[in-house]
């Protein structure tokens, strides 16, 4: 029984750190059901984790009552490699995407790595101002091989 | 309710002579990296000769967990206490590589090799 | 960092079996984050599983394009034991709750056990006709001890 | 993509003389109980002297997995092939108890004890 392609699942959590592992568990299980390999699953899970942490810390400034909507969708169409799309929507402070940048890697100190990690692991990242306020972050990860089909 | 729940994120601190071996369990993310950092710094307060952080039971760590470890490293350097990481699972090893922190931390395949240094 | 009480998370899946383990993983991780013990977590996970299977098979008759909305909420209020509330909403065929019954246990044959399992494991079960069509199934599980608070 | 993905739900069938030992891996629910049943019945088609189903790597099973096992049991009885379940984890054991199927199936702590019968 296969995960249907081009059909989303949705998860809505609050901007609290304790909800992050719940979202991560759902997305990891989704990847496993698609038979995505462990390495790719780990990269997707960590990117989700970092993106959620940033929404909690920066878009909502640590406020625990913000909503975060997560859409997970396997994209499958002729001529394109199977891809997982993660879309995160918040209703917090929107900042110019150009300002969303990690620190210099050589400047070793706590923090300032999340955005770098997402860029390393995901194939495409787009921040867009959401209608009605907040930000929509879309991340794409190619699954290669038979992923997404199986 | 908590009868079969393990202590997290630091399951145990074991002493081998002057060396402290910290066993970490479970996923480290924003929901527990604060506790993680506090408990690591508590170990440093006990003035060990070295600290080995056993990450073999950590399937997932994010940049907030890394931040806790960098904090420990900074403080430990001031106290001249070596910090060693041991047993990184593939996912965590990869995170250290893409953040180039594999060049900053001493990383060993397991606790035995870390303690042999 | 604790799971906030009396605040829900929401998950929307399709009426396909492959989405069931994704929902289960989210709910299991939610329980673990609340430090619910393994036995109770297993009972909640299995009840969710059976309830989703029934919605897929009976409310949607195997159709893969039905929506299932899942709400997970820890209930915590003075004088009441900490409780997990699972609420499942479908938009499929609503049947008289009196007809939702498992087979006789002694009549051993494949199938006909799901509703029995849910009644064994959950403390309260209520089927209600949903506004706009379909059914809302509310299941409550007492967590005892410190669960929900931690 | 599938390089490190295990065969599921039945990871392997091993023969000990006439006895077939079926190793099941992972969660059994509606998303895989169809395959589970088909693969179990395939084993019966190979005319074993007995079938032992090793459930020690099954952390979760629902009533659809139970249905597959009842189907196997029915067919096996007609063929006079004993079916034994082994290594049930607590969660699965509890499911057999509340459905009273612990009285219907022969259940053993592990494969060794099942094969000793
Ligand atoms: N979702 C977001 N909304 C607003 N600003 C963000 C967001 N994500 C990241 N940023 C900005 O980008 C910077 C770098 O983020 P990151 O690399 O994850 O490190 P850190 O979050 O530890 O500062 C943040 O300090 C913040 O200024
Ligand atoms: N969500 C539902 N909507 C409609 N009918 C249901 C629903 N859940 C259960 N039922 C009815 O109750 C019966 C018993 O369900 P269950 O014990 O789970 O066994 P099974 O699904 O294997 O038949 C079903 O056969 C069905 O007629």
């Amino acid at each position: 029984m296969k995960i249907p392609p081009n059909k989303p699942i949705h998860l809505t959590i609050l901007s609290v750190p304790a909800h992050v592992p719940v979202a991560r568990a759902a997305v990891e299980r989704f990847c496993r059901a698609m038979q995505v390999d462990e390495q790719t699953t780990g990269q997707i899970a960590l990117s989700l984790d970092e993106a959620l942490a940033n929404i909690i810390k920066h878009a909502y400034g640590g406020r625990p009552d913000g909503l975060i909507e997560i859409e997970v969708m396997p994209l499958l169409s002729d001529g394109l490699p199977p891809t997982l799309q993660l879309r995160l929507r918040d209703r917090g402070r929107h900042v110019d995407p150009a300002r969303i940048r990690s620190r210099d890697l050589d400047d070793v100190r706590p923090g300032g790595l999340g955005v770098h990690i997402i860029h390393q692991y995901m194939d495409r990242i787009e921040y867009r101002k959401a209608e009605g306020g907040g930000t929509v972050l879309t991340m794409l990860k190619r699954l290669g091989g038979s992923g997404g089909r199986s | 309710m908590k009868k079969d729940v393990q202590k997290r994120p630091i399951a145990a601190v074991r002493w081998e002579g002057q060396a402290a071996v910290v066993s970490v369990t479970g996923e480290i993310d924003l929901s527990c990296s604060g506790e993680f950092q506090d408990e690591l710094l508590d170990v440093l307060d006990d003035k060990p000769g070295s600290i080995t952080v056993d990450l073999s039971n950590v399937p997932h760590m994010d940049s907030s967990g890394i931040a806790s470890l960098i904090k420990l490293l900074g403080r430990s350097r001031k106290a001249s206490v070596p910090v060693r990481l041991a047993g990184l699972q593939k996912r965590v090893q990869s995170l250290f590589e893409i953040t180039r922190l594999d060049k900053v931390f001493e990383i060993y395949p397991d606790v035995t090799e870390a303690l042999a240094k």
Side-chain angles (χ1 to χ4, degrees), chain B residues 69-81:
Chain B
L69 289 169
I70 291 179
K71 188 88 186 170
L72 171 70
L73 186 68
R75 290 260 195 108
S76 299
R77 277 182 178 162
K78 278 186 199 142
S80 301
V81 175

Side-chain angles (χ1 to χ4, degrees), chain A residues 1 29 35-38 143-144 146-147:
Chain A
M1 305 291 272
R29 193 65 183 78
Q35 307 202 336
V36 173
D37 65 80
E38 275 306 310
L143 301 175
S146 65

Side-chain angles (χ1 to χ4, degrees), chain A:
Chain A
M1 305 291 272
K2 313 305 178 219
I3 293 271
N6 307 316
K7 301 280 184 187
I9 68 165
H10 290 96
L11 180 63
T12 305
I13 63 171
L14 287 171
S15 56
V16 293
H19 283 180
V20 171
V22 177
R24 197 172 59 235
V27 170
E28 288 198 30
R29 193 65 183 78
F30 193 92
C31 289
R32 203 160 308 134
M34 287 178 68
Q35 307 202 336
V36 173
D37 65 80
E38 275 306 310
Q39 182 183 337
T40 307
T41 299
Q43 294 173 349
I44 292 168
L46 188 55
S47 301
L48 171 70
D49 182 323
E50 298 293 346
L52 291 174
N54 279 344
I55 292 172
I56 293 171
K57 292 186 297 177
H58 306 301
Y60 287 116
R63 266 176 41 214
D65 57 352
L67 288 179
I68 309 176
E69 293 158 48
I70 303 161
E71 183 195 86
V72 188
M73 180 152 64
L75 302 180
L76 200 65
S77 65
D78 281 346
L80 285 179
T83 297
L84 191 74
Q85 175 177 290
L86 289 182
R87 190 164 267 172
L88 310 190
R89 195 250 154 93
D90 67 66
R91 290 155 196 281
R93 196 171 58 95
H94 177 76
V95 308
D96 177 1
R99 286 176 45 206
I100 300 184
R101 289 216 330 263
S102 282
R103 64 167 166 80
D104 183 342
L105 289 192
D106 294 327
D107 173 23
V108 177
R109 56 177 171 78
L113 292 173
V115 170
H116 170 76
I117 292 167
I118 298 172
H119 279 272
Q120 287 286 314
Y121 280 160
M122 300 303 271
D123 294 304
R124 245 192 90 185
I125 299 101
E126 187 204 57
Y127 293 89
R128 200 161 45 73
K129 200 176 169 101
E131 286 181 54
T135 303
V136 177
L137 165 58
T138 304
M139 302 186 283
L140 297 179
K141 177 69 175 177
R142 274 193 302 276
L143 301 175
S146 65
R149 216 170 309 253
S150 41

Side-chain angles (χ1 to χ4, degrees), chain A residues 17-29 32 38 41-42 45-46 48-49 52, chain B residues 6-11 23-37 39 54-66 68-69 89 91-92 95:
Chain A
H19 283 180
V20 171
V22 177
R24 197 172 59 235
V27 170
E28 288 198 30
R29 193 65 183 78
R32 203 160 308 134
E38 275 306 310
T41 299
L46 188 55
L48 171 70
D49 182 323
L52 291 174
Chain B
Q6 235 197 329
K7 201 173 157 304
R8 286 219 48 226
I10 293 189
S23 300
V24 192
T25 313
E27 304 166 335
I28 308 289
D29 64 16
L30 199 58
S31 70
C32 65
S33 52
E35 285 99 312
F36 183 49
Q37 176 170 316
E39 294 177 18
D54 181 0
L55 295 173
S56 59
N57 289 312
V58 175
H60 177 92
M61 182 184 288
D62 73 3
S63 69
S64 73
I66 292 238
S68 305
L69 289 169
Q89 294 190 20
R91 191 191 284 196
V92 178
L95 172 62

Side-chain angles (χ1 to χ4, degrees), chain B residues 20 44 48-52 72-73 76-77 79-84 106:
Chain B
L44 183 62
S50 67
I51 300 180
T52 297
L72 171 70
L73 186 68
S76 299
R77 277 182 178 162
S80 301
V81 175
V83 170
R84 296 164 189 144
E106 288 183 51

